Amino acid sequence: MDYGGGEDLVPCGKDKFISKNELLLHLKTYNIYYEGQNLQLRHREEEGELIVEGLLNISWGLRRPIRLQMQDDNQRIRPPPSSSSWHSGCNLGAHGSVLKPSTLPDIQVTDAEAAPNAEAPGNGTGEPTPKAPPEEAPQLMRTRSDVGVRPRGTSRTPSEQRRIRRHRFSINGHFYNHKTSVFTPAYGSVTNVRINSTMTTPQVLKLLLNKFKIENSAEEFALYVVHTSGEKQKLRASDYPLIARVLQGPCEQVSKVFLMEKDQVEEVTYDVAQYIKFEMPILRSFIQKLEEEEDREVKKLMRKYSILRLMIEQRLEEISEGPTAM
């Protein structure tokens, strides 16, 4: 692989690079795995820079509840400029007086007396049928109460329902309102965000939190690559999560990207992860063998230094006896 030209290198973290050809090979494998699915990634070049974009699956791994920003059912309505009630079609003047509307509705009025008596149906006695009582004139109905509160038991208008749907957000099909705005997503449940290969870990975190209107600060969380072996690798602030996902491979049965709390999770190296899933009897046997090996090393060192000590004592005796013999 050619690593000579700087233009052929793609950054994948702080002081970490990968060749463009190698990344494209990983990307090809990734897209073959997700063929026919919306998780396939696209790539393009802008001014010689390779940019990969698409959906990134992120699993929830939170242990503490998160706070959701809820805007429905608790938005305050501004009071009217005066103490008068709100009426549809009425304009309030500066001093609270009702002004006439600029245009009046065109209402058709028919005089009942203008119709000929012959057209009126008879009642069998030759007398005309009594006139029906005149209809009441149309009135302007009140649309909101003085305090702007919707009465209990009344259904919401279509516009209110659309506003509620627009301001409610869902995690895996569960909708929330201000009464359930504190929530812990099910561990291992999956969501996704659309990102590109130029976005760093903090940018992806902020995008995910904004998607679900989460009030918690992005500084509280971190992204981890978790392997089925138990290895946990934290993505640094300078890492690019989409590049990391491509390099790890597409199969989520081998590794997943998790959103976790910074102070609740510790990184687990590959060497340590090898021992995590062993049963306790096997681990105890490992410890016993290590202790036996440690005892052998200690005894070996004690013998070595005891011999060295005897040699030093003999040498000191020879030095001390030398002047006496002369």
Side-chain angles (χ1 to χ4, degrees):
M1 298 180 185
D2 183 15
Y3 290 88
E7 63 276 7
D8 293 332
L9 297 180
V10 178
C12 54
K14 185 178 180 181
D15 300 330
K16 295 186 296 184
F17 298 89
I18 184 174
S19 71
K20 185 184 299 184
N21 292 332
E22 185 177 355
L23 179 59
L24 289 175
L25 288 176
H26 283 281
L27 184 60
K28 182 179 180 180
T29 304
Y30 192 96
N31 286 335
I32 290 175
Y33 185 87
Y34 286 115
E35 186 175 2
Q37 303 181 37
N38 61 353
L39 290 175
Q40 282 189 319
L41 303 176
R42 298 177 297 176
H43 71 278
R44 68 181 191 275
E45 290 195 14
E46 291 185 0
E47 300 179 355
E49 181 182 3
L50 179 64
I51 298 178
V52 182
E53 58 185 2
L55 291 175
L56 173 65
N57 276 351
I58 299 178
S59 301
W60 296 97
L62 303 180
R63 299 298 185 183
R64 293 194 297 257
I66 55 177
R67 301 183 304 276
L68 303 178
Q69 298 175 357
M70 296 313 304
Q71 300 173 355
D72 59 313
D73 292 342
N74 62 352
Q75 289 181 340
R76 293 184 179 181
I77 301 176
R78 291 185 178 181
S82 66
S83 58
S84 304
S85 301
W86 289 357
H87 298 275
S88 61
C90 292
N91 297 325
L92 297 178
H95 301 286
S97 59
V98 179
L99 303 179
K100 294 182 179 180
S102 57
T103 57
L104 295 176
D106 187 9
I107 302 175
Q108 297 290 340
V109 180
T110 304
D111 190 359
E113 296 179 355
N117 294 335
E119 295 180 0
N123 56 5
T125 59
E127 298 180 358
T129 304
K131 299 178 182 179
E135 297 181 359
E136 296 182 356
Q139 297 179 353
L140 297 175
M141 303 300 294
R142 180 184 301 178
T143 58
R144 296 189 184 183
S145 65
D146 293 341
V147 295
V149 178
R150 181 175 56 82
R152 291 187 177 180
T154 59
S155 60
R156 293 186 175 92
T157 63
S159 62
E160 289 178 340
Q161 293 176 357
R162 285 194 299 271
R163 178 176 59 82
I164 290 173
R165 285 196 298 268
R166 185 167 59 250
H167 289 291
R168 283 188 175 181
F169 300 87
S170 169
I171 297 179
N172 300 323
H174 187 98
F175 288 91
Y176 305 93
N177 54 37
H178 64 279
K179 295 181 180 179
T180 59
S181 60
V182 178
F183 177 73
T184 304
Y187 190 90
S189 57
V190 182
T191 185
N192 55 60
V193 288
R194 185 170 295 277
I195 61 174
N196 61 51
S197 58
T198 64
M199 299 178 67
T200 59
T201 303
Q203 292 174 327
V204 175
L205 285 172
K206 290 179 181 178
L207 184 64
L208 178 62
L209 299 185
N210 289 336
K211 177 180 178 180
F212 295 105
K213 304 299 180 184
I214 297 175
E215 290 185 349
N216 301 67
S217 172
E219 299 294 330
E220 301 178 20
F221 308 104
L223 293 179
Y224 290 83
V225 178
V226 180
H227 297 259
T228 53
S229 62
E231 180 184 0
K232 294 180 183 178
Q233 177 187 359
K234 180 181 178 181
L235 295 181
R236 311 302 177 192
S238 57
D239 290 339
Y240 303 96
L242 191 58
I243 297 290
R245 174 75 268 182
V246 173
L247 296 181
Q248 290 290 334
C251 183
E252 295 193 350
Q253 295 179 354
V254 176
S255 63
K256 294 182 179 180
V257 178
F258 269 84
L259 174 71
M260 297 179 170
E261 295 96 341
K262 279 185 179 180
D263 58 349
Q264 294 290 314
V265 183
E266 293 184 0
E267 290 189 82
V268 179
T269 62
Y270 174 76
D271 295 334
V272 176
Q274 292 179 338
Y275 299 98
I276 288 181
K277 293 193 175 182
F278 285 114
E279 299 294 335
M280 287 303 297
I282 299 177
L283 293 175
R284 289 194 183 97
S285 66
F286 287 157
I287 294 175
Q288 184 178 357
K289 290 182 178 180
L290 290 173
E291 289 177 348
E292 292 175 356
E293 184 178 353
E294 183 182 5
D295 290 339
R296 286 195 299 268
E297 291 295 326
V298 169
K299 291 178 181 178
K300 186 187 297 185
L301 289 174
M302 290 178 66
R303 285 197 303 268
K304 178 180 177 181
Y305 285 102
S306 62
I307 295 174
L308 182 60
R309 180 182 176 183
L310 290 175
M311 293 175 62
I312 293 173
E313 289 179 351
Q314 290 176 0
R315 181 60 180 167
L316 291 174
E317 288 179 358
E318 292 176 358
I319 294 173
S320 62
E321 291 176 357
T324 305
M326 291 177 64

